[in-house]
Amino acid sequence: MHGGRSSLAGTLLLRGLAVLVLVLFLGLPLLAVLAEALRRGAGPALAALADPDALASIRLTLLVAAITVPVNTVGGLAAAWCITRFRFPGRALLLALIELPFSVSPVISGLVWVLLFGSAGWFGPWLEERGLQIVFALPGLVLATLFVTFPFVARTLIPLMQEQGATAEEAAATLGASGWQSFFRVTLPQIRWALLSGVLLCNARAMGEFGAVSVVSGHIRGETNTMPLHIEILYNEYQFVGAFAVAALLALLALVTLAAKMVLERRGGGA
Amino acid sequence: MMAACSTAFTSRAADAMAAPPSAALRTRPGSLASRRGPLPGFGLSLGVALFWLSALVLIPLGALLLRPWELGVSGLWRSLSEPRVLAALRLSFLGALTASAVTLPFGLLLAWVLVRDRFPGRRLLDAMVDLPFALPTAVAGLALTALYAPNGWLGAPLAALGVKVAYTPLGVILAMAFVGLPFIVRTVEPVLRDLPREAEEAAATLGASRPQILWRVVLPALAPALLAGFAMASARAIGEYGSVIFIAGNMPMVSEIAPLVIVTRLEQFDYAGAAAVGLAMLALSFLLLLALNLATRFWRPV
Amino acid sequence: MPRLLVPRRSVLTAPLALPFLGTAAGAQPRSVQLLNVSYDPTREFYRDFNAAFTTRWKERSGETLRANVSHGGSGRQARSVIDGLPADVVTLALAYDIDAIAERGLIAPDWQSRLPANSAPYTSTIVFLVRKGNPKNIRDWGDLIRPGVGVITPNPKTSGGARWNYLAGWAWALRQPGGDEKAAEAFLMALFRNVPVLDTGARGSTTSFVQRGQGDVLLAWENEAHLAFAEFGAGQFDIVYPSLSILAEPPVALVDRNVDRRGTRAVAEAYLRALYEPDAQALAARHFYRPRDAAALAAAGSRFPALEMVTIDDAAFGGWKQAQARHFDDGGVFDRLYQPGR
């Protein structure tokens, strides 16, 4: 850097401040979760995770994420492709609309599905006649989660694909590659790290969403409670160790996601 | 160089938001500018994207936007001009703006250290920045409350100093800052990384002091990214529910946030009133983002 | 990377239209599902009751019953049922919330007279939970408005229990010398000025009081106070019975439209009737609900001290509909307490 003793001191000061902010402000809450979970040792914490309702919530959370993430990945890829590879009227608007769900309150993200598919909603009576349940069942949870995690993949891909430009695909097309061939052989390898990183963030958020799913879940034990909702229930039953144990597991899943993202970035650095 | 893609999520997209995307494209020589180019898949990709967007975002939001009007214009106005609603909207918006403003220097600091400094454990710190993204919002809320309550690890020493955090508007702002911080860091980071060092070095050889360099050279270059990060952090904080609700105290007129008003109205079976607050929040967020977007353009005349 | 994307596409084929599996009614007569949508403080009671009833139902009908429960704030739960949560029975905190469901045609309008005792198989009341030794010497409602006393109660707008708290305070203030509605409003305003945290539900308030050390007195359901007492160690708290409280009747009802659609009327009816039987009444008493059954009440001994209680049908309130509109709806008395500049 800029050499000189004062500048070294400045660097150290900034570094120290940054570490302090991260540890105190971001790290401590995580630590508090772990400490609460292990307050009575690992046994009760593990027992809380083995509870049938806890297992059901873990399964449901993974299922919701497994449906949500691919849908938003395909949608995000399609949106990124048409926005960055073509010029058409309304393109800027499309881009803005894709970002919209970020600025919508999670409570609203749940509410909109009730307004659509609840008994008093637009499609409620039609669904009821056919005995179909959307809100207060898996489809509602999936839809609310889809809304909340909607922009993640598209937002990761669009700037990168914009920067890369279409030269490689154009070359492939000139050489006679079909659209899909060029997509799988040229585009995908170019964007794979960004794509994975977007997918992972989408996944982390999908698993952890609380406000939106809370509105559409119905809170049926063992049936429509995702992990964040199960945490709330345990907490309300004064089972603090259990609540924080499930919370710690959820945070751990998220941390694994972040770690995977970090590793990918490192490998992606070479790509 | 660490992968550009890594931080792309908030960063580049925010960049794209800051500059009008069409303008960004026009300036890039490598990009394809013609609709009738050799690339296939326009119809398919646009079709999929439009279906995806309409089914998951536009139609549901349409249901929200249309619902409050059953109150009539005057009913809508009455429903929104209640003092409690106004106070909650004020807290959500001013709280989010304050939280983002306070977080801004810290976000800049973190981005600076992560980009310019090299030390063992830096990657770990880098990953930690994303914690608020990854930590489930309700868990974050419970943890923050446990920490900052008057009998918590941080709340107890603060209480001894006479500072009450949990169950006050300060607690609301704290939780909002928590969820907003990564947006700022991830927006500033890539721009800082791409910033050419030559200008700084030139300024240094001309005898400028480090604060001068920072103030005159670095900050102006980062200003659009900072504004974009500020906008995104605010937008996220305005609507935040899970992490705020536990620490807020929820006193009407004092520490009650707008999303809680929505929930409260729902529980009184007042759907139109709930949707009205949702509509107001959406409109205000939109205006805020628009204003900040315009400010960014003003800052960076293309 | 195509490796990663291609198999995922197969998952995509029909993600949005999965019908809810539980609604396929009556296909297998040997097993039946029942959903009880309840409010927060009944978790422990219905966990035990469901286990007992499942066994009994198996003996009686040969059917394997799976009794599901959903808990949450009473108003939120009622809204969910209105919006389509397929509840067979609702067991909520206030008749008002069940009335709201009945208004939408899901429950017959005469629901409250279909079961004995106003359809409330157990009752409760509002008591004070104070810190051990009662350091602030809180004996009655009047002590709650003393300066320096922190009162913890949930928000009456979102919590059924908090509405009982509020109305009990109102009734007490009306009965004071020179008490009229203006005085009662002034009393409640002073009381809520002493509230440092207004949680959205009863359980949230208990946590704020017990875990976070907020306030000096918690206004709580009698059963919640006893439960907190049992869960967090009797050495930490005392229960104080005020001179006057309110008879809280948490009612139960069959959701007619849902049981008819799902073919669960018989089991749902039996479920609700069973709540009135002696063993369930004893179970309720064990979970600190006041049983309606005289024998069960007598067996509980000194657990439930006698105290004077007003009811919601008292002339001061005129039933839930009137009380709700007057006090808790937007623009009502409760909102006025928080008007700026007062």
Side-chain angles (χ1 to χ4, degrees), chain A residues 23-122:
Chain A
V23 170
L24 265 189
F25 192 56
L26 300 184
L28 217 50
L30 181 68
L31 205 64
V33 171
L34 291 176
E36 290 280 345
L38 298 175
R39 172 170 287 199
R40 301 210 193 111
L46 290 175
L49 294 179
D51 175 81
D53 287 343
L55 289 176
S57 77
I58 294 170
R59 266 197 304 274
L60 182 62
T61 298
L62 295 178
L63 178 62
V64 168
I67 299 171
T68 309
V69 173
V71 172
N72 277 343
T73 303
V74 171
L77 269 171
W81 180 264
C82 67
I83 283 179
T84 60
R85 295 298 180 255
F86 303 97
R87 196 70 82 68
F88 53 93
R91 215 188 50 139
L93 181 69
L94 183 61
L95 189 64
L97 286 176
I98 286 175
E99 285 166 359
L100 194 60
F102 264 148
S103 49
V104 173
S105 172
V107 175
I108 299 177
S109 323
L111 172 63
V112 291
W113 299 109
V114 175
L115 293 180
L116 274 183
F117 297 122
S119 295
W122 287 359

Side-chain angles (χ1 to χ4, degrees), chain A residues 39 66-67 69-71 73-74 77 114 117-120 128 131-139 142-143 146 180 183-184 188 192 195-196 199 214-215 217-224 232-233 235-240 244, chain C residues 1-2 4-6 8-9 11-12 15-20 23 33 35 37 40 43-44 47 66 68-72 76-77 79-86 106 202-204 206-207 211-212 224 227-228 231-232 257 261:
Chain A
R39 172 170 287 199
I67 299 171
V69 173
V71 172
T73 303
V74 171
L77 269 171
V114 175
F117 297 122
S119 295
E128 219 156 75
L132 296 174
Q133 188 86 29
I134 300 271
V135 286
F136 312 117
L138 178 67
V142 169
L143 288 172
L146 276 171
W180 290 114
F183 176 74
F184 282 117
L188 218 44
R192 59 187 167 182
L195 179 65
L196 269 174
V199 164
S214 164
V215 178
S217 141
H219 306 266
I220 308 171
R221 275 197 103 115
E223 300 267 334
T224 61
E232 190 202 16
I233 283 200
Y235 193 80
N236 276 341
E237 287 178 355
Y238 310 130
Q239 299 184 33
F240 300 113
F244 281 103
Chain C
M1 278 309 107
L4 212 142
L5 279 172
V6 173
R8 277 193 181 174
R9 260 203 245 117
V11 188
L12 277 176
L16 297 182
L18 297 173
F20 186 50
T23 49
Q33 286 211 14
L35 176 59
V37 172
D40 264 325
R43 293 157 198 274
E44 291 75 13
R47 194 171 49 215
R66 188 182 149 96
N68 292 318
V69 273
S70 162
H71 294 282
R76 179 176 82 181
Q77 296 292 76
R79 180 186 64 74
S80 296
V81 174
I82 289 169
D83 278 333
L85 181 64
L106 275 75
R203 287 284 158 107
T206 311
T207 308
Q211 291 283 106
R212 310 272 165 255
E224 281 290 285
L227 183 70
E231 290 275 334
F232 300 105
R257 191 130 67 101
R261 185 175 301 150

